[in-house]
Amino acid sequence: MGLDTASDKRPLSTLHEKASFDVADFEVPTGREEEWRFTPLRRLRGLHKGTAEDGGKVLLEVEPAPEVTVETVGRDDPRLGTAYVPADRVSAQAWNSFTDATVVTVPKEAVATAPTVLRLRGEDSSAAAYGHTTVLVEPYAEATVVLAHRGSATYADNVEFIVGDGARLSVISLQDWADDAVHVSHQHARLGRDARFVSHNISLGGDVVRISPSISYAEPGGDAELYGVYFVDGGQHLEHRLLVDHTVPHCRSRVDYRGALQDRDAHAVWIGDVIIRAEAEGTDTYELNRNLVLTDGTRVDSVPNLEILTGEVAGAGHASASGRLDDEHLFYLQARGITFDEARRMVVRGFLGQLVERIEVAEVREKVREAIEEELEQGAAR
């Protein structure tokens, strides 16, 4: 199955022109393609070319809110694949390879009184596992969903968030994998009329993690906020590739991702694509990425892209900045009797803490704080 890619529907760039459920519709990446040039393909263990050995296990443990229904369904469930069509070969491979899927349903007008938590734990990274999750938030309902990833795995999955008219969904995706894990994921949200969607992607663990959040709007009035926090250690590759596709009038989007890097060969990649199509008058959008480089030997690739195909916008902008700790900030703190290591920690806490404080679930918020402190302690000890 493929989407119509008629020329009047394509964005100016070619990054997002192809979508299909068929793996054969996508060529095997070589690393020279724009969408793959920052990703270390040799470390994906064959996920990108279909040679990954099957048989890996990622176990799921669910803690649903009382108002929410969680089901395990087969591939033939008609609710799967209704909001998102794979946009690259790994995503298509994940679609064709999963056995069971998880469907989370928030009934119409229900207000969940607790987060629904999906804990995914990898058991073995020597073989590949695939997954699919669909979250349905019916009109005027409200819910929070947590996706918590940990353990060892070679894992590719697709996640669909379908947010109905007037509904509200907050999603927290925590990538806290073991050091040997590889995770490639697409997370797509489709927003109905006056729907609101907030996501937090926190990436801390794993060898290679590539997360691709995307937003589409089905009706006017949709509002999306995408936040991200990541801390990259030596040898890690953490990549976030975002797409916000404004196709209808009077919708809003905000993107703010921030990361810190330390030690040799730590590599962070952030790609932020926002498209405002000709029919999307009155769009209000802004995207920001900032990176704090703590040591020598790290690498940051940050690429914001904004394509505007209409002159009738309420606001549109983007920004990207990467740099070292500010010597003046450190001097100011040290002049008041604070040690260098503590001054360093205070600056990083403040830089990332502005987004950490936005995380609605206290348990996750505290876990992220503790993880950042642990990273800073390890950095100070080296």
Side-chain angles (χ1 to χ4, degrees):
M1 182 184 298
L3 288 183
D4 181 3
T5 55
S7 59
D8 62 337
K9 294 296 183 183
R10 291 181 183 177
L12 294 180
S13 77
T14 59
L15 286 178
H16 311 286
E17 68 174 354
K18 183 181 291 186
S20 174
F21 290 100
D22 189 348
V23 176
D25 286 340
F26 301 96
E27 295 181 0
V28 175
T30 64
R32 291 187 293 272
E33 303 83 359
E34 179 63 30
E35 62 267 41
W36 291 103
R37 69 186 178 98
F38 295 117
T39 307
L41 296 178
R42 68 187 183 280
R43 293 163 61 183
L44 293 185
R45 299 176 184 148
L47 286 177
H48 63 298
K49 54 185 178 180
T51 60
E53 183 180 347
D54 292 334
K57 290 184 179 180
V58 174
L59 305 180
L60 173 65
E61 177 186 333
V62 180
E63 184 181 326
E67 302 79 7
V68 173
T69 300
V70 180
E71 307 165 75
T72 300
V73 302
R75 297 186 50 84
D76 58 348
D77 191 289
R79 293 169 293 183
L80 306 181
T82 59
Y84 175 69
V85 179
D88 67 32
R89 188 179 177 92
V90 177
S91 181
Q93 185 70 56
W95 168 262
N96 285 278
S97 301
F98 75 87
T99 303
D100 298 320
T102 302
V103 176
V104 179
T105 304
V106 187
K108 183 178 181 180
E109 299 180 354
V111 178
T113 55
T116 293
V117 182
L118 280 64
R119 296 184 176 89
L120 297 99
R121 185 181 76 252
E123 296 288 289
D124 181 10
S125 63
S126 64
Y130 303 92
H132 192 97
T133 303
T134 296
V135 179
L136 299 167
V137 186
E138 296 184 349
Y140 309 105
E142 298 182 17
T144 297
V145 173
V146 179
L147 304 171
H149 307 89
R150 60 190 179 92
S152 297
T154 299
Y155 186 53
D157 71 328
N158 296 305
V159 186
E160 300 175 283
F161 304 108
I162 304 171
V163 189
D165 294 351
R168 303 289 184 268
L169 175 62
S170 177
V171 175
I172 303 165
S173 182
L174 176 61
Q175 286 72 240
D176 193 20
W177 295 104
D179 292 342
D180 63 347
V182 171
H183 184 199
V184 181
S185 179
H186 284 72
Q187 303 173 352
H188 181 75
R190 186 184 70 192
L191 277 57
R193 182 178 295 273
D194 297 327
R196 177 171 170 76
F197 177 76
V198 179
S199 79
H200 298 268
N201 258 295
I202 302 103
S203 297
L204 302 169
D207 178 47
V208 176
V209 174
R210 174 176 156 134
I211 309 294
S212 300
S214 57
I215 303 290
S216 65
Y217 300 86
E219 298 287 346
D223 189 335
E225 296 183 3
L226 284 72
Y227 301 108
V229 172
Y230 46 94
F231 205 119
V232 194
D233 277 327
Q236 274 189 303
H237 177 96
L238 302 184
E239 181 170 347
H240 301 89
R241 307 185 67 94
L242 288 76
L243 168 64
V244 181
D245 194 354
H246 286 275
T247 56
V248 297
H250 306 297
C251 292
R252 176 182 177 272
S253 65
R254 291 291 185 272
V255 174
D256 191 346
Y257 271 59
R258 302 184 190 186
L261 301 88
Q262 65 183 8
D263 294 336
R264 183 164 300 280
D265 295 326
H267 188 193
V269 177
W270 180 87
I271 309 296
D273 292 337
V274 176
I275 303 170
I276 305 175
R277 298 182 186 265
E279 58 271 30
E281 298 92 346
T283 292
D284 181 8
T285 182
Y286 193 85
E287 61 172 344
L288 171 66
N289 176 232
R290 298 173 65 192
N291 296 280
L292 195 55
V293 176
L294 303 180
T295 67
D296 293 334
T298 67
R299 175 182 170 184
V300 177
D301 292 293
S302 179
V303 185
N305 298 306
L306 177 59
E307 299 181 11
I308 305 174
L309 306 182
T310 176
E312 302 295 329
V313 296
H318 61 180
S320 170
S322 301
R324 296 182 177 275
L325 290 167
D326 192 311
D327 290 337
E328 290 188 6
H329 291 170
L330 295 175
F331 176 79
Y332 177 87
L333 294 170
Q334 289 179 274
R336 281 149 182 81
I338 298 171
T339 66
F340 173 82
D341 286 341
E342 182 57 28
R344 176 178 178 269
R345 281 193 286 266
M346 290 175 67
V347 173
V348 177
R349 285 189 204 117
F351 175 69
L352 299 178
Q354 295 176 21
L355 296 187
V356 175
E357 288 301 317
R358 290 180 174 270
I359 299 172
E360 299 175 9
V361 180
E363 178 184 350
V364 178
R365 187 169 61 245
E366 188 57 34
K367 181 177 180 60
V368 174
R369 284 200 194 107
E370 292 174 357
I372 291 172
E373 289 297 323
E374 184 177 344
E375 295 279 7
L376 291 171
E377 288 288 345
Q378 292 174 357
R382 285 192 281 266

